[in-house]
Amino acid sequence: MKPTKSFLFLFSAVITLSSCNNKINSQSTAKNSLKNAYKGDFYIGTALDINQIEEKDPKVTNLISKQFNSITPENIMKSMFLQPEENKFDFDVSDKYVAFGQKHKMFIHGHTLVWHSQLAPWMSKIKDSTSMAKMLTNHITTVVKKYKGKIDSWDVVNEALNEDGTLRKSVFLNTYGKNFITHAFKTAAAIDSKVELYYNDYNLCNAKKRQGAVELVKNLQKNGAKIDGVGEQGHWHLETPTLEEIEKTILDFSALGVKVSFSELDISVLPSPYGLQGAEISQRFANNEKMNPYPKTLPDSMQVKLAQRYNDIFKLFLKHKDKISRVTFWGVNDTQSWLNDFPIKGRTDYPLLFDANLQPKKAYESIISLKVKK
Ligand code: XIL
């Protein structure tokens, strides 16, 4: 039987309508979700605390799985938690973390193998290079092996640099010497050749520190160690760093042939004591009214400023999406943010995209609007 003209017309009308509907549907899912809006550009991640990992609040779990397609453990994989005593590993919560990522089909990041802060106390007492080498090898081998094929990328070394680009006088440098970095990367790659390995730090938008990180990457490459990417933490402010500095950072690292990620993004709207930038977690200052101007709510004018800043930054990220692997926010919503207690304890900051009631802020809309036309 031959199809009649009117049947063909009806058929093509149904096809057009349904493809139109698909478009509308994909636009509306993108509108309601960061991960869908930025699909194909880069992963959109968040940092999880222990309550979120243990799925204590279903509303929070829903928000995380709807909005994000990558996770980072905010604290629970730091050495003081994973190996609190020599050779006594505790993988209870990190197993739940990895299971969370698998269940929600997420890109799972590990943070962090070698860091001078939140270091297991026994590690900080190591005095000689042989014991330090033994500790580094054992810690990295055990942890990377445990999650081989499950964790997709690791911060192998975190914050090894001073602000002037020289190496920080950490217990690792003081005992092992500067090659502790190469040792760490080679050890991780020897255990899992597929997992992506990152160097992670803050203030890499500052020229001297960035140059230090460039040298660090070059040195790893010269020594034959595999490094896949650099994570710029991105603990930023409304005015600093400038877009030019951020762009330079993206360009300088990608010129070395490594991926760039923004691994701990948050934008403080609060005054910064003594012009402090960055995230050296040992720095603390006293609280007072001037330093905590929005204890109850953030005025609309500030919401708008924050939204504009996020919009500018994401426009730049999109311009360089071919170089950026992942953008991870340091927390799900404002109440979780570590900035409420850093660098001054007990303030109220508003650095993320979701507010205290888990509602999207203007900053959220400003990022989504770059991908979804009204
Ligand atoms: C922070 C956590 O968010 C806090 O809960 C904790 O008290 C201190 O560490 N750079 C890093 C992160 O690499 O691990 C830090 O996370 C923030 C600075």
Side-chain angles (χ1 to χ4, degrees):
M1 196 178 68
K2 264 191 173 173
T4 62
K5 254 192 186 163
S6 58
F7 174 79
L8 279 178
F9 174 76
L10 202 76
F11 183 71
S12 74
V14 168
I15 295 288
T16 321
L17 236 170
S18 82
S19 86
C20 207
N21 259 343
N22 279 344
K23 249 193 208 153
I24 292 169
N25 281 344
S26 71
Q27 284 265 311
S28 72
T29 21
K31 205 169 176 174
N32 295 323
S33 153
L34 290 164
K35 70 172 184 192
N36 289 331
Y38 283 82
K39 201 179 245 161
D41 298 326
F42 34 75
Y43 287 112
I44 301 278
T46 188
L48 300 187
D49 67 18
I50 190 162
N51 290 322
Q52 294 159 341
I53 291 168
E54 295 186 340
E55 304 197 26
K56 292 275 164 59
D57 181 344
K59 284 203 290 301
V60 176
T61 310
N62 281 341
L63 179 73
I64 295 167
S65 64
K66 182 173 165 189
Q67 298 290 345
F68 303 99
N69 51 17
S70 173
I71 48 173
T72 299
E74 184 179 0
N75 284 303
I76 58 105
M77 282 192 148
K78 293 168 181 172
S79 65
M80 65 183 283
F81 299 112
L82 281 193
Q83 198 188 169
E85 284 173 53
E86 187 166 4
N87 251 321
K88 287 209 172 111
F89 287 86
D90 181 350
F91 290 121
D92 266 13
V93 192
S94 53
D95 281 351
K96 292 182 192 165
Y97 166 75
V98 171
F100 183 104
Q102 289 178 325
K103 178 167 135 194
H104 298 290
K105 301 194 171 44
M106 291 165 151
F107 183 91
I108 306 175
H109 185 64
H111 173 80
T112 169
L113 294 169
V114 181
W115 190 27
H116 63 275
S117 285
Q118 293 176 288
L119 181 70
W122 69 273
M123 293 180 181
S124 67
K125 296 196 186 102
I126 294 174
K127 293 276 182 292
D128 62 279
S129 67
T130 315
S131 318
M132 182 51 80
K134 195 173 135 223
M135 183 286 279
L136 286 172
T137 306
N138 187 39
H139 186 76
I140 296 170
T141 304
T142 310
V143 176
V144 175
K145 197 180 267 171
K146 165 94 176 130
Y147 295 113
K148 184 174 175 173
K150 294 179 178 158
I151 285 208
D152 298 295
S153 59
W154 273 108
D155 287 333
V156 180
V157 174
N158 196 28
E159 302 180 356
L161 294 166
N162 293 314
E163 293 311 290
D164 66 0
T166 57
L167 285 179
R168 181 193 287 272
K169 289 201 166 17
S170 65
V171 65
F172 315 115
L173 184 74
N174 293 345
T175 55
Y176 191 105
K178 65 180 173 27
N179 282 337
F180 82 88
I181 301 174
T182 304
H183 179 82
F185 275 81
K186 284 193 170 173
T187 306
I191 298 298
D192 186 348
S193 61
K194 292 206 182 105
V195 72
E196 292 183 3
L197 305 178
Y198 277 74
Y199 174 70
N200 196 56
D201 212 328
Y202 59 88
N203 280 354
L204 296 180
C205 292
N206 293 353
K208 280 188 178 162
K209 196 163 185 183
R210 177 170 60 241
Q211 194 47 42
V214 165
E215 296 305 325
L216 187 153
V217 173
K218 281 188 178 162
N219 200 49
L220 281 166
Q221 293 170 331
K222 193 181 81 201
N223 291 338
K226 177 175 110 92
I227 170 161
D228 299 283
V230 173
E232 151 64 32
Q233 293 181 4
H235 297 295
W236 292 338
H237 300 263
L238 286 173
E239 316 289 343
T240 57
T242 64
L243 294 175
E244 290 71 30
E245 287 168 327
I246 301 173
E247 182 161 43
K248 190 130 204 339
T249 307
I250 300 171
L251 295 174
D252 282 6
F253 292 128
S254 68
L256 301 170
V258 298
K259 296 177 184 180
V260 181
S261 80
F262 292 88
S263 53
E264 305 183 10
L265 185 59
D266 48 24
I267 297 174
S268 176
V269 299
L270 300 182
S272 164
Y274 314 116
L276 173 77
Q277 286 177 24
E280 170 49 56
I281 70 166
S282 61
Q283 286 176 302
R284 303 268 168 191
F285 299 86
N287 194 354
N288 61 40
E289 258 171 48
K290 209 175 116 216
M291 297 314 266
N292 189 26
Y294 319 112
K296 297 245 156 61
T297 57
L298 189 66
D300 206 52
S301 60
M302 290 301 289
Q303 295 282 10
V304 171
K305 264 195 190 163
L306 181 69
Q308 187 57 52
R309 175 78 165 141
Y310 266 119
N311 185 274
D312 292 342
I313 288 170
F314 270 72
K315 228 183 258 163
L316 182 66
F317 288 170
L318 281 172
K319 178 177 169 195
H320 294 293
K321 62 182 184 183
D322 57 322
K323 307 170 189 72
I324 297 174
S325 50
R326 178 169 56 86
V327 176
T328 289
F329 293 88
W330 206 237
V332 176
N333 72 330
D334 287 341
T335 33
Q336 180 193 345
S337 174
W338 75 303
L339 293 174
N340 295 313
D341 284 314
F342 174 86
I344 298 177
K345 229 181 153 34
R347 296 198 295 178
T348 310
D349 208 341
Y350 302 83
L352 298 168
L353 303 186
F354 297 94
D355 68 15
N357 301 316
L358 302 174
Q359 295 308 305
K361 295 157 62 181
K362 284 201 164 72
Y364 173 89
E365 311 297 342
S366 81
I367 291 181
I368 291 279
S369 71
L370 290 170
K371 296 295 297 183
V372 183
K373 298 289 160 252
K374 279 204 176 134

